[in-house]
Amino acid sequence: MRRRQTQTDSFDLFLDTICNTFGGIIFLAILVAILIQTRSVLQQPDQRDQTTQTPQEARQLETRLAAAESSVQRLTLALNSMPEAKVNDDFREYSKTKAELADIDQNIQRLIAASNAKSKTLEEIISENEKIEEENRNVPERLKSLTELAKQEEAAVAQLINTKQTTLKLPRERESTSESTLALLKDGNVYLAGEFDGIRDEFDGPHVDTKKTLGGFRVIAKRGQGVDVDNSNTTSFLSTTARQRKIVTLALWPDSFGTFTELKPKLINSGLRYQIWFQTPNEDLIVSIGGGGSGRAQ
């Protein structure tokens, strides 16, 4: 009896060990399952979406790719072998009209751009015209003021001319057959030309040069050689001419009317008769020699 009880107790201990071990394995399995489930919940969305392709799926994709490439090659060959499509005349006309419309639209755009530029230029011209019109409206008033100013200047000039003019009173002319000497009244001075030397073809006076010209002689006053009315050379010239019973010809320029006014009393006091040749400004004296006959003298 005692020996049988010992075997039973040993078997019970063995069973306890086996049950405990099996229970521990089950516990570990449950714990691993819980950990795996928790880890899958904590994974990122991109990590959850990633799946691992199996070799079978990869072979299926390769097969589908090869079939697609073969289909593309067949379609390409079929497209190349197709005859060229015939274009309808209406389509050609449509294409031509469309191209023309495109050109017309481009030309319209250019014309619009040019029109805008011309419009800007026109606006500038209009603005300038408005300014000119404003100035034109002021023209009558300006013209009136300028007219008044011109009248004032004209009156001033007339007054100045009156102050500068000298009135010459000449005695009555009479015919004379006397020989004549020559003097030039120019630049406010007296240039003594004297008598004409027919041998040398020149006047013998000290104050002039004589140049022969076609049909006469040009008598030129020497610059800086003229004398005044009261000079001794002038007095001697007048006395000699009167003593020889000759007359004196006076070539008179407008700038020397005053000089003649000073010389005239000396001519009268010496009893010397004279004749005057009036010259215009900047005019050269041309003298013709010969011809005879009578002249006129005061």
Side-chain angles (χ1 to χ4, degrees), residues 84-100:
E84 184 179 357
K86 294 182 179 181
V87 180
N88 193 1
D89 293 337
D90 294 338
F91 181 77
R92 289 195 185 95
E93 188 67 22
Y94 168 76
S95 300
K96 182 179 178 181
T97 305
K98 185 177 180 181
E100 292 177 353

Side-chain angles (χ1 to χ4, degrees), residues 269-288:
N269 293 334
S270 62
L272 183 61
R273 300 176 64 186
Y274 59 90
Q275 62 177 344
I276 298 177
W277 291 346
F278 290 100
Q279 305 293 122
T280 59
N282 301 322
E283 179 186 7
D284 292 336
L285 175 61
I286 305 297
V287 178
S288 296

Side-chain angles (χ1 to χ4, degrees), residues 191-248:
Y191 295 86
L192 303 176
E195 297 181 6
F196 184 76
D197 187 347
I199 297 176
R200 301 174 59 184
D201 286 340
E202 64 180 15
F203 284 88
D204 58 6
H207 301 155
V208 298
D209 289 327
T210 306
K211 294 184 179 181
K212 190 172 184 179
T213 61
L214 183 62
F217 296 89
R218 178 180 287 108
V219 183
I220 304 171
K222 293 181 179 178
R223 186 179 298 275
Q225 295 296 317
V227 296
D228 56 28
V229 174
D230 296 325
N231 188 273
S232 59
N233 290 331
T234 303
T235 303
S236 175
F237 174 78
L238 297 178
S239 299
T240 301
T241 303
R243 188 171 56 252
Q244 294 176 352
R245 297 184 180 277
K246 297 179 180 180
I247 66 173
V248 60

Side-chain angles (χ1 to χ4, degrees), residues 8-298:
T8 301
D9 291 338
S10 298
F11 183 76
D12 290 336
L13 292 174
F14 177 74
L15 289 175
D16 290 337
T17 303
I18 293 299
C19 289
N20 291 333
T21 302
F22 184 72
I25 292 172
I26 292 174
F27 175 77
L28 290 175
I30 293 171
L31 180 62
V32 169
I34 292 172
L35 291 176
I36 291 174
Q37 184 176 2
T38 303
R39 184 178 179 183
S40 64
V41 170
L42 295 177
Q43 284 180 345
Q44 298 296 329
D46 55 350
Q47 292 179 350
R48 292 198 303 268
D49 293 339
Q50 292 178 354
T51 57
T52 303
Q53 279 187 344
T54 62
Q56 184 178 1
E57 291 177 347
R59 285 194 296 272
Q60 290 178 355
L61 291 175
E62 291 178 357
T63 303
R64 292 176 60 187
L65 178 61
E69 290 178 351
S70 176
S71 177
V72 170
Q73 290 178 357
R74 288 196 304 272
L75 291 174
T76 302
L77 292 175
L79 182 62
N80 293 332
S81 62
M82 289 179 63
E84 184 179 357
K86 294 182 179 181
V87 180
N88 193 1
D89 293 337
D90 294 338
F91 181 77
R92 289 195 185 95
E93 188 67 22
Y94 168 76
S95 300
K96 182 179 178 181
T97 305
K98 185 177 180 181
E100 292 177 353
L101 288 175
D103 293 338
I104 292 173
D105 183 67
Q106 187 175 4
N107 292 332
I108 290 174
Q109 295 300 325
R110 285 199 299 267
L111 290 174
I112 291 174
S115 178
N116 292 334
K118 291 181 178 180
S119 298
K120 184 178 180 181
T121 304
L122 182 60
E123 291 177 356
E124 295 176 354
I125 293 174
I126 291 173
S127 177
E128 187 68 22
N129 287 339
E130 291 177 352
K131 295 179 181 179
I132 294 174
E133 288 179 358
E134 182 66 23
E135 294 177 356
N136 290 338
R137 285 192 290 269
N138 298 329
V139 166
E141 296 181 0
R142 294 179 59 189
L143 182 60
K144 183 178 179 180
S145 62
L146 290 176
T147 302
E148 294 178 356
L149 180 61
K151 289 180 180 179
Q152 295 175 2
E153 293 293 333
E154 185 177 356
V157 170
Q159 183 178 1
L160 180 62
I161 291 174
N162 290 332
T163 59
K164 296 297 182 179
Q165 283 182 340
T166 302
T167 303
L168 297 179
K169 294 183 179 180
L170 302 177
R172 184 179 298 174
E173 291 184 344
R174 292 178 295 176
E175 292 186 359
S176 175
T177 58
S178 301
E179 294 182 358
S180 175
T181 59
L182 178 65
L184 282 63
L185 303 182
K186 187 177 184 180
D187 302 329
N189 293 320
V190 179
Y191 295 86
L192 303 176
E195 297 181 6
F196 184 76
D197 187 347
I199 297 176
R200 301 174 59 184
D201 286 340
E202 64 180 15
F203 284 88
D204 58 6
H207 301 155
V208 298
D209 289 327
T210 306
K211 294 184 179 181
K212 190 172 184 179
T213 61
L214 183 62
F217 296 89
R218 178 180 287 108
V219 183
I220 304 171
K222 293 181 179 178
R223 186 179 298 275
Q225 295 296 317
V227 296
D228 56 28
V229 174
D230 296 325
N231 188 273
S232 59
N233 290 331
T234 303
T235 303
S236 175
F237 174 78
L238 297 178
S239 299
T240 301
T241 303
R243 188 171 56 252
Q244 294 176 352
R245 297 184 180 277
K246 297 179 180 180
I247 66 173
V248 60
T249 299
L250 301 175
L252 179 59
W253 275 264
D255 58 9
S256 298
F257 286 168
T259 304
F260 174 75
T261 302
E262 297 176 5
L263 182 63
K264 182 180 177 181
K266 294 182 178 294
L267 296 173
I268 295 173
N269 293 334
S270 62
L272 183 61
R273 300 176 64 186
Y274 59 90
Q275 62 177 344
I276 298 177
W277 291 346
F278 290 100
Q279 305 293 122
T280 59
N282 301 322
E283 179 186 7
D284 292 336
L285 175 61
I286 305 297
V287 178
S288 296
I289 305 299
S294 61
R296 302 185 65 84
Q298 285 82 7

